[in-house]
Amino acid sequence: MIEHNDDSLSRLFAPRGIAVVGASATPGKIGAMPVTLLRKYGYDGRILPVNPRVDEIQGLETYPDLDALDDVDLAILAVPAAHAAAALARARVGQIGGAVVFTSGFAETGDEGAALQARLCAIAAERRIRLLGPNCLGFMNVRRQVYATFSPAPANGAIAAGGIGMVSQSGAFGAYAFSMARDRGLGLSHWISTGNEADIDVADCIAWLANDAHTRVIMTYMEGCRDGEKLRRALATARAAGKPVVVAKIGRTQAGAQAAASHTAALAGDDAVYDALFRQYGAVRARTVEEFFNLGYAFDTWRSPPRGKRLAVLTISGGVGALMADEAVDAGLALPAPSEAAQARLLARIPFGSARNPIDVTGQAVSEPGLLLDAVEEALEGDAYDAMAVFLAAAGSSEALWPTFENFARTMQARHPGVPLAISALFSPERRRALEALGCLVFADPSAAVKTIGAIAAREARDEPLAAGDAAPGERLEETYNEVRAMTVLARAGIPVTPCQLVASADAAVAAARDFSAPVAMKIVSADILHKSDVGGVKLRLRGEAAVREAYDAIVQAVRRNCPQARIDGVLVAPMAPAGVECIAGVHRDPVFGPVVMFGLGGIFVEVLKDVSFRIAPFERPEALAMIRDTKGHALLQGARGMPAADIGALADALVALSRFAHRHRDTLDSVEINPLLALPAGQGVLALDAVLAGRSADKGT
Amino acid sequence: MIEHNDDSLSRLFAPRGIAVVGASATPGKIGAMPVTLLRKYGYDGRILPVNPRVDEIQGLETYPDLDALDDVDLAILAVPAAHAAAALARARVGQIGGAVVFTSGFAETGDEGAALQARLCAIAAERRIRLLGPNCLGFMNVRRQVYATFSPAPANGAIAAGGIGMVSQSGAFGAYAFSMARDRGLGLSHWISTGNEADIDVADCIAWLANDAHTRVIMTYMEGCRDGEKLRRALATARAAGKPVVVAKIGRTQAGAQAAASHTAALAGDDAVYDALFRQYGAVRARTVEEFFNLGYAFDTWRSPPRGKRLAVLTISGGVGALMADEAVDAGLALPAPSEAAQARLLARIPFGSARNPIDVTGQAVSEPGLLLDAVEEALEGDAYDAMAVFLAAAGSSEALWPTFENFARTMQARHPGVPLAISALFSPERRRALEALGCLVFADPSAAVKTIGAIAAREARDEPLAAGDAAPGERLEETYNEVRAMTVLARAGIPVTPCQLVASADAAVAAARDFSAPVAMKIVSADILHKSDVGGVKLRLRGEAAVREAYDAIVQAVRRNCPQARIDGVLVAPMAPAGVECIAGVHRDPVFGPVVMFGLGGIFVEVLKDVSFRIAPFERPEALAMIRDTKGHALLQGARGMPAADIGALADALVALSRFAHRHRDTLDSVEINPLLALPAGQGVLALDAVLAGRSADKGT
């Protein structure tokens, strides 16, 4: 495997010379398009067609093979899969910086293709050539006029150079996104399709774009990835560089995941874990193509994203204001009202309007051009809002009012740069662009404006370093633990567990119960017995020596009678649990991302509603708190149904401890389930009442 | 109040002559615009400007007042609020069919304006004039060139005549929607803004459009309504006429409802009840302007909506297919796979594609023009699908492939008219229109295509008559009932209740317990005691004479000691309940829609998750079943967590019985809460274990 190195990607993505192996003069052939595009858009480096059968292509001298060339930064391979490796093998070590392989017929077609791909990779690695593809549409460096692609999309019209770096695993999606970006007037820095990802993958491109001076926003389409840790580092790099990442990732639902699995050769991993990763690193996930573009557009157009979730809505239609308020609530935004004094001044100005938020200046704004700006100045008094959405209704199309609106956007940007502005109206394309040039978003649909602001404001782009966890791996875990040993291991890891003792006699049980000075629960401990209550293996609320002694004997006899074959480790004695909210915490091993921590509330929340949240281990307290907040049931922890509020801080600490434990033992941990993890009232901590812990042998495959 | 009569609206909306009171020659005045528009668009009836101060306006002879005219179907009032009533008072009884009042300054501004509005209504009623407005933008009858509006929107460009009837309470929203419809190439039959709704409201317009031969689809924007029963009848009329209704109604969230309340004078009622109403009558609710138009567009373009939820997805990009599958699941659609045989034939044709659903024909479709149609013919074998969504990626923009795509859409429509088709690609406006003319939907965003199909397919347009309930109102309810009497009343209404007896002595308690031949629960019955357990007023699981006798005495003594002031009706004796799923059913009185039935699962489902559904009483079994399905927790009734499936049919019957009871007693019922309503295992029915019932005096206001 080639070592990842930004310089090698920079050489590939900004080449001073490009060889086109399989260059063709026949329009429509994949070897013709890049030569056509490079010439059409005025690429200023050398274009070197490689084709042993003709002397000249589109007026350029041809070469018989790569060996006939000097050093070249980029070679495009547009030859059939069966010939690709041989063509690349003609390169000398160090001669070629990178290769883009267009052709399909590799790993995506089955074993034979996979063998061809492996051979191609081996030859590239020997010659220190970075590979993009195979089975990809190539890439474009828009600012440098590098069109190393055979997509016809750029042939149909140029795209503006701009700040969006776009990287798509799928060529079809990428080409579509290119056309949509052009239609929407977005500017791109780079456009990259990664295809089979034999070497360079989406994560490499995200990391590289994060370090690219011309890229401000990264938009990526993913189907899955093989190296979770690399993707995690790439997203952390983008976050550290302050560059928002918008992600469209397929497979949110079971049907989508099945379709994705049948489509992509990549091991996708669990979608919920990707979702956790995106939240964890502040990448914003788009569910639809429309959302994908709305988000990319907003990040690209606004000079700085909102710092919080307080939205001011201003309209000339009270009804649409209410529609926008509905959407704001759905999008997790707050709609605080202006100060009482500001409201009074506003109402003096707009007697039939509304001065609360949404602010309705009514049709009066049409007859009084100064009203909009005056209203905003009143409303924005103090530091009350993080963003503003304005709906101008059909008045937005008015010729007469355009100077008012243009002046409004310009003045807002100058006076309130910290309150980014989105206007919703039906402007002509020219006017829309004029407003966008002022840093103002324009949407036809007022709800889309609010929804987009909500998604951006919800992004938790915490300035945290990548949580590294303990560098040294912990001791090797065994494959099985009974519950008492599991609890002991977790207690050592910093998770509060209920005190419990494993006893082998009635006398020992009595002694243990005496230690706890509270009613106790007793339970058979045996790996062979799953449903312990059903076989008489559990006794609860035992008080006093006689009851404990009797319970011990009853349990042992019942189990011997009902499960004569079961191996018995002993009987567990533990104090009865205090009152609290039953939660569940767990860890499972994701094949791509390693240990993943799960949290949920007990009972129907997990079992019926599947109301759980995930984070990739390890993580710190803010992430653990976000993880708790992500569950719908967390209202129960805040004191619903007459219960006292639970100790959410202690719960977060337990999750952090669990995440560190999981990370430290990532090589030999299979799974943990703490059920229930009891959240006690605030100030009283948490208590693990039961746990299952399983290790795995380190040399097991994924 | 004027009697509602379709003919009077027809006269207003299709007038043969129009008087414009306050007609003006000054551009920009609200009295100038209708004359300008009527002339610009060639209205073929008489235009009669009324203005005592000038002799001629835009070349038309003027009249001093309405009395100077012959009979006229429509009078437009464009005079200040203070003069409107006086202007209308000049009309003779029967002379004017209807009046549109543009001006604001009426009820929306406060008490003074409300008085003006009341006077205007009184004068109109005396003269049998139907009123649209005041404070409205008027209306347009596009086919008849009737532009009775002062909105500048139609002045900026004509809209095509078509099958969409649009009615908006808000003028600003209406004007915006008009412009968006024109931008999207939709055709309108009528456009109506209702403003203050002093007489004609949205419901009147829906009912009238439902009976209009030129209207196929009704799109409406609502803020609230005052006459729930009229709206219900209007939606039922549209359903009976087979005309889909798309509704944008503000106030989904608390913030939106607050904004709506501060904006509209209309009593909005509870948004959840509107939502229930829309579901009940097959109206489709749009959350955003975009959704509003996508739905209207789809209903208008497709010859017939899908008959079910089985979607076939066909793409040339596996990744985007997965994205569409994700959206399909979210939208409640099913993605069944083609038959095994069809899959085998498909795979023979597209070896590197996918033959399951989504079907991925890969880029091969670009090089083999026949492939798309062949693939669809295989997939559609049998009657396997209700709709199809196709994604063509960037290939959709290809000049060379256009004949293939056009032929595809044409052939599909001819051969599979029962499988409506949506194509997602970036077509030019002309090509989009060509496909739409073939009955094919076109979307740029593939997710929007799937989401729209889902919303349309989810619509439950059952062909039921308006459930009328029993015509005769039931006997008058009292204001208070203790639980035993409440249960007796509900039992008579057909709701299975647990047998229970109210006893006044230990002997009677013993006798009652003997009757039940099962362990019993006993509970104090007193309207003055809220938390009965807390005062020792509840004893459970009592078996045998001694236990019952002892419990009776203990309850009575404890209550006397703890609540010496409480009036006591006796002690309730009931058998302990069998195992089942605890549900809650209730009725509350909505100020607009009358009695509304609520259903939810017990415990956290209602209390923490607010997971409940509503329907307006009365309703029949299919509606009750839909109501149960609407709750997220209903999975629990199907046998989650190792429980047997519950008797959902019996649960539905109980809800129907409750809805009939509520409707019959609508004048004197305040509320019912049956909690718990126990759903027993399938075949064993349901059992109301406890109930609260409260009546109200019939002459109380809302």
Side-chain angles (χ1 to χ4, degrees):
Chain A
M1 205 58 189
I2 294 160
E3 204 192 335
H4 294 106
N5 175 357
D6 265 8
D7 288 345
S8 69
L9 289 191
S10 299
R11 189 178 172 198
L12 187 155
F13 287 137
R16 283 155 307 172
I18 304 173
V20 183
V21 182
S24 167
T26 314
K29 291 267 182 192
I30 64 169
M33 188 59 89
V35 179
T36 306
L37 289 171
L38 287 165
R39 289 166 55 85
K40 174 180 162 96
Y41 285 111
Y43 169 63
D44 65 358
R46 293 175 305 150
I47 309 171
L48 308 159
V50 174
N51 186 330
R53 289 188 303 276
V54 294
D55 293 336
E56 182 245 44
I57 282 173
Q58 298 188 35
L60 299 168
E61 182 193 353
T62 63
Y63 300 82
D65 59 22
L66 287 175
D67 191 34
L69 300 174
D70 296 336
D71 285 3
V72 179
D73 290 334
L74 171 65
I76 294 171
L77 264 64
V79 294
H83 306 307
L88 204 61
R90 297 292 298 157
R92 303 178 299 276
V93 173
Q95 178 201 6
I96 309 284
V100 174
V101 186
F102 286 170
T103 31
S104 54
F106 288 95
E108 82 282 5
T109 61
D111 291 344
E112 210 173 312
L116 283 179
Q117 185 167 317
R119 185 161 147 62
L120 183 72
C121 285
I123 286 170
E126 277 165 23
R127 287 159 184 75
R128 298 199 299 277
I129 300 172
R130 296 302 304 264
L131 265 192
L132 184 66
N135 185 31
C136 79
L137 275 183
F139 76 91
M140 311 176 214
N141 176 337
V142 178
R143 203 171 295 271
R144 300 285 301 273
Q145 289 85 37
V146 182
Y147 286 82
T149 179
F150 68 98
S151 166
N156 296 336
I159 196 157
I164 296 176
M166 194 176 268
V167 49
S168 171
Q169 210 169 340
S170 153
F173 181 92
Y176 196 66
F178 177 92
S179 303
M180 280 198 84
R182 187 177 52 204
D183 283 8
R184 291 187 58 148
L186 300 181
L188 301 189
S189 61
H190 298 81
W191 176 96
I192 308 167
S193 102
T194 57
N196 286 7
E197 304 194 336
D199 168 19
I200 299 168
D201 65 7
V202 162
D204 291 314
C205 296
I206 291 173
W208 186 80
L209 290 167
N211 290 316
D212 172 56
H214 298 299
T215 300
R216 283 194 307 271
V217 179
I218 299 165
M219 293 176 70
T220 184
Y221 166 93
M222 292 184 60
E223 304 186 337
C225 84
R226 274 168 292 223
D227 186 343
E229 183 55 27
K230 184 161 63 158
L231 180 58
R232 191 164 123 104
R233 281 198 313 267
L235 293 176
T237 303
R239 182 173 73 179
K243 299 191 182 176
V245 179
V246 179
V247 187
K249 150 98 181 49
I250 60 174
R252 279 190 294 112
T253 65
Q254 210 188 342
Q258 273 173 7
S262 81
H263 166 62
T264 172
L267 190 60
D270 182 353
D271 186 76
V273 178
Y274 282 90
D275 216 55
L277 175 77
F278 300 146
R279 283 166 193 262
Q280 219 160 332
Y281 289 93
V284 183
R285 187 167 186 176
R287 295 160 57 104
T288 68
V289 176
E290 187 73 25
E291 268 180 41
F292 186 62
F293 278 98
N294 285 347
L295 288 165
Y297 165 66
F299 279 123
D300 189 44
T301 305
W302 272 352
R303 310 282 197 255
S304 57
R307 290 153 311 173
K309 299 186 179 185
R310 299 166 308 168
L311 178 70
V313 172
L314 183 84
T315 74
I316 64 172
S317 157
V320 176
L323 202 72
M324 293 167 81
D326 283 337
E327 191 66 37
V329 171
D330 286 348
L333 293 166
L335 292 167
S339 72
E340 293 291 335
Q343 287 189 48
R345 287 193 304 270
L346 271 164
L347 277 185
R349 193 85 166 77
I350 42 167
F352 303 126
S354 170
R356 296 183 63 79
N357 187 11
I359 296 162
D360 174 15
V361 296
T362 74
Q364 205 181 327
V366 174
S367 46
E368 292 179 44
L371 180 57
L372 266 188
L373 215 46
D374 292 354
V376 166
E377 287 301 340
E378 295 295 356
L380 293 189
E381 193 200 47
D383 176 29
Y385 297 101
D386 302 306
M388 172 173 278
V390 176
F391 175 68
L392 297 176
S397 326
S398 157
E399 286 297 309
L401 291 170
W402 167 247
T404 303
F405 298 145
E406 204 263 354
N407 178 54
F408 172 74
R410 188 183 298 279
T411 310
M412 275 292 294
Q413 174 63 25
R415 290 196 202 149
H416 304 284
V419 184
L421 174 68
I423 294 183
S424 176
L426 297 171
F427 292 114
S428 67
E430 299 71 41
R431 299 211 154 144
R432 182 168 55 71
R433 276 194 292 274
L435 292 173
E436 288 164 357
L438 294 168
C440 168
L441 298 181
V442 179
F443 287 92
D445 178 2
S447 310
V450 172
K451 186 177 185 182
T452 303
I453 296 170
I456 288 184
R459 171 180 173 241
E460 305 202 25
R462 284 187 288 277
D463 243 353
E464 281 170 46
L466 186 65
D470 301 338
E475 79 273 27
R476 201 180 159 72
L477 293 177
E478 297 161 33
E479 294 200 20
T480 55
Y481 290 83
N482 68 37
E483 48 261 64
V484 181
R485 293 186 56 232
M487 299 275 270
T488 308
V489 171
L490 292 173
R492 275 207 306 270
I495 296 161
V497 304
T498 193
C500 62
Q501 287 186 33
L502 187 65
V503 297
S505 71
D507 285 343
V510 167
R514 198 179 299 126
D515 285 354
F516 299 139
S517 66
V520 296
M522 291 171 64
K523 188 166 66 169
I524 196 77
V525 175
S526 164
D528 298 330
I529 303 175
L530 223 59
H531 299 292
K532 296 174 181 179
S533 302
D534 298 353
V535 298
V538 180
K539 299 274 173 192
L540 301 174
R541 286 177 287 272
L542 306 166
R543 218 183 255 280
E545 182 174 329
V548 170
R549 190 174 297 279
E550 191 184 322
Y552 182 89
D553 293 337
I555 287 175
V556 171
Q557 278 164 31
V559 169
R560 282 212 187 110
R561 189 172 59 246
N562 294 320
C563 312
Q565 311 296 328
R567 286 159 302 171
I568 291 170
D569 296 346
V571 171
L572 181 153
V573 184
M576 287 301 297
V581 181
E582 289 198 1
C583 301
I584 298 182
V587 180
H588 77 275
R589 252 191 111 262
D590 184 85
V592 176
F593 294 99
V596 174
V597 177
M598 182 271 272
F599 170 77
L601 270 81
I604 59 146
F605 283 100
V606 167
E607 292 174 43
V608 178
L609 300 170
K610 319 287 179 214
D611 176 27
V612 294
S613 62
F614 296 95
R615 289 294 185 278
I616 296 167
F619 50 79
E620 301 298 331
R621 207 169 194 259
E623 209 56 60
L625 288 167
M627 177 173 190
I628 295 167
R629 277 196 308 274
D630 278 354
T631 61
K632 289 187 219 62
H634 86 279
L636 216 58
L637 295 167
Q638 294 169 323
R641 306 187 79 195
M643 301 261 297
D647 198 333
I648 294 177
L651 199 52
D653 291 339
L655 292 170
V656 169
L658 182 60
S659 87
R660 288 188 181 144
F661 169 78
H663 182 70
R664 203 159 55 238
H665 295 282
R666 61 193 172 277
D667 293 332
T668 57
L669 176 69
D670 185 65
S671 67
V672 183
E673 182 172 320
I674 307 177
N675 182 7
L677 174 62
L678 203 64
L680 303 175
Q684 298 179 35
V686 298
L687 210 49
L689 298 188
D690 199 356
V692 178
L693 167 63
R696 61 197 286 276
S697 50
D699 46 345
K700 259 190 206 159
T702 55
Chain B
M1 206 57 188
I2 294 159
E3 204 193 336
H4 294 107
N5 174 358
D6 265 7
D7 289 344
S8 69
L9 289 191
S10 299
R11 189 175 171 199
L12 187 155
F13 288 136
R16 283 155 307 174
I18 304 174
V20 183
V21 184
S24 167
T26 314
K29 292 265 181 192
I30 64 168
M33 188 60 89
V35 179
T36 307
L37 289 171
L38 288 166
R39 289 167 55 84
K40 174 181 160 98
Y41 286 112
Y43 169 62
D44 65 0
R46 293 176 305 150
I47 309 172
L48 307 160
V50 175
N51 187 328
R53 291 188 302 277
V54 293
D55 294 336
E56 180 245 47
I57 282 172
Q58 298 188 36
L60 299 168
E61 183 194 351
T62 63
Y63 300 82
D65 58 22
L66 286 176
D67 191 34
L69 301 174
D70 295 337
D71 286 3
V72 179
D73 291 334
L74 171 64
I76 294 173
L77 263 65
V79 293
H83 307 307
L88 204 61
R90 298 292 298 158
R92 302 178 298 278
V93 172
Q95 177 200 6
I96 309 284
V100 174
V101 187
F102 286 171
T103 30
S104 54
F106 289 94
E108 82 283 3
T109 62
D111 290 345
E112 210 172 315
L116 284 179
Q117 184 167 317
R119 185 162 148 62
L120 183 72
C121 285
I123 287 171
E126 277 166 24
R127 287 159 184 74
R128 298 199 299 275
I129 300 171
R130 297 302 305 265
L131 266 191
L132 185 64
N135 185 31
C136 79
L137 276 182
F139 76 91
M140 312 176 213
N141 177 337
V142 178
R143 204 172 295 269
R144 300 283 301 271
Q145 289 84 37
V146 182
Y147 286 81
T149 179
F150 68 100
S151 166
N156 296 335
I159 198 158
I164 295 176
M166 195 176 267
V167 49
S168 171
Q169 211 168 339
S170 154
F173 182 91
Y176 197 65
F178 177 91
S179 303
M180 279 199 83
R182 187 177 50 204
D183 283 9
R184 291 186 59 148
L186 300 182
L188 300 189
S189 61
H190 298 80
W191 176 96
I192 308 167
S193 102
T194 57
N196 286 7
E197 304 193 335
D199 168 19
I200 299 168
D201 65 6
V202 163
D204 291 313
C205 297
I206 290 173
W208 186 80
L209 290 167
N211 290 318
D212 172 57
H214 299 299
T215 301
R216 283 194 307 271
V217 180
I218 299 165
M219 293 176 70
T220 183
Y221 165 94
M222 292 184 60
E223 304 186 338
C225 85
R226 274 170 292 223
D227 186 344
E229 184 55 26
K230 185 162 58 155
L231 181 57
R232 192 165 121 105
R233 280 199 311 269
L235 293 177
T237 303
R239 182 173 72 179
K243 299 191 182 176
V245 179
V246 180
V247 186
K249 150 98 181 47
I250 59 172
R252 279 191 295 111
T253 66
Q254 210 188 342
Q258 273 172 6
S262 80
H263 166 62
T264 172
L267 188 60
D270 183 351
D271 187 76
V273 178
Y274 281 90
D275 216 57
L277 175 77
F278 300 146
R279 283 166 193 263
Q280 219 160 330
Y281 290 92
V284 183
R285 187 167 188 179
R287 296 160 56 104
T288 69
V289 177
E290 186 74 25
E291 268 179 42
F292 186 63
F293 278 98
N294 285 346
L295 288 165
Y297 165 66
F299 279 124
D300 188 44
T301 305
W302 273 352
R303 309 285 198 253
S304 57
R307 289 153 310 174
K309 299 187 178 184
R310 300 165 307 166
L311 177 70
V313 172
L314 183 84
T315 74
I316 64 171
S317 157
V320 176
L323 201 73
M324 293 167 81
D326 283 336
E327 191 65 36
V329 170
D330 286 348
L333 293 166
L335 292 167
S339 72
E340 293 291 333
Q343 286 189 50
R345 288 193 302 270
L346 271 164
L347 277 185
R349 193 85 165 76
I350 41 165
F352 303 125
S354 169
R356 296 184 62 79
N357 187 11
I359 297 161
D360 175 15
V361 296
T362 74
Q364 204 180 328
V366 175
S367 47
E368 292 180 42
L371 180 56
L372 266 187
L373 216 45
D374 291 355
V376 166
E377 288 300 340
E378 295 294 357
L380 292 189
E381 193 200 48
D383 176 29
Y385 297 101
D386 302 306
M388 172 172 278
V390 175
F391 175 68
L392 296 176
S397 326
S398 157
E399 286 297 311
L401 291 170
W402 167 248
T404 303
F405 298 145
E406 204 265 353
N407 179 54
F408 172 74
R410 187 182 299 279
T411 310
M412 275 291 294
Q413 174 62 26
R415 290 196 202 151
H416 304 284
V419 185
L421 174 68
I423 294 183
S424 176
L426 297 170
F427 292 112
S428 68
E430 299 72 42
R431 299 210 154 146
R432 183 168 54 71
R433 278 194 291 274
L435 292 173
E436 287 164 357
L438 293 168
C440 168
L441 299 180
V442 179
F443 287 92
D445 178 1
S447 309
V450 172
K451 186 176 186 183
T452 303
I453 296 171
I456 289 183
R459 172 180 173 242
E460 305 203 26
R462 285 187 288 276
D463 244 351
E464 281 170 46
L466 186 65
D470 301 338
E475 79 275 25
R476 196 179 166 72
L477 294 178
E478 298 161 32
E479 294 201 20
T480 54
Y481 292 82
N482 68 36
E483 49 262 64
V484 180
R485 293 186 55 230
M487 299 274 271
T488 308
V489 172
L490 293 173
R492 276 206 305 271
I495 296 161
V497 304
T498 194
C500 62
Q501 289 187 32
L502 186 65
V503 298
S505 70
D507 285 342
V510 167
R514 199 178 298 125
D515 285 354
F516 299 139
S517 66
V520 296
M522 290 171 64
K523 189 166 66 168
I524 195 77
V525 176
S526 164
D528 299 330
I529 303 175
L530 222 60
H531 299 293
K532 297 176 178 178
S533 301
D534 297 355
V535 299
V538 180
K539 300 273 173 193
L540 301 173
R541 285 177 288 273
L542 306 165
R543 218 184 255 281
E545 181 174 332
V548 170
R549 190 174 295 280
E550 191 184 323
Y552 181 89
D553 293 338
I555 286 176
V556 171
Q557 279 165 30
V559 169
R560 284 213 186 109
R561 190 171 57 246
N562 293 320
C563 312
Q565 312 296 328
R567 284 159 305 172
I568 291 169
D569 295 346
V571 171
L572 181 153
V573 183
M576 288 300 297
V581 181
E582 289 198 0
C583 301
I584 297 181
V587 180
H588 77 275
R589 250 193 114 261
D590 184 85
V592 176
F593 294 98
V596 174
V597 177
M598 181 270 273
F599 171 77
L601 270 81
I604 60 148
F605 283 100
V606 167
E607 293 175 40
V608 178
L609 300 171
K610 319 285 179 218
D611 177 28
V612 295
S613 61
F614 296 95
R615 288 296 185 278
I616 296 166
F619 49 79
E620 301 298 331
R621 206 170 196 258
E623 209 56 59
L625 289 168
M627 178 174 189
I628 295 167
R629 276 198 309 273
D630 278 354
T631 62
K632 289 186 217 66
H634 86 279
L636 215 58
L637 295 167
Q638 295 171 321
R641 305 187 78 195
M643 303 260 297
D647 197 333
I648 294 177
L651 199 52
D653 291 338
L655 292 170
V656 168
L658 182 61
S659 86
R660 288 188 182 145
F661 170 77
H663 182 70
R664 202 160 54 238
H665 295 283
R666 60 192 173 279
D667 292 332
T668 56
L669 177 67
D670 186 65
S671 66
V672 183
E673 181 172 320
I674 306 176
N675 181 11
L677 175 62
L678 203 63
L680 303 175
Q684 298 179 33
V686 298
L687 212 48
L689 298 188
D690 199 355
V692 178
L693 167 64
R696 62 198 285 277
S697 49
D699 46 346
K700 259 190 209 161
T702 54

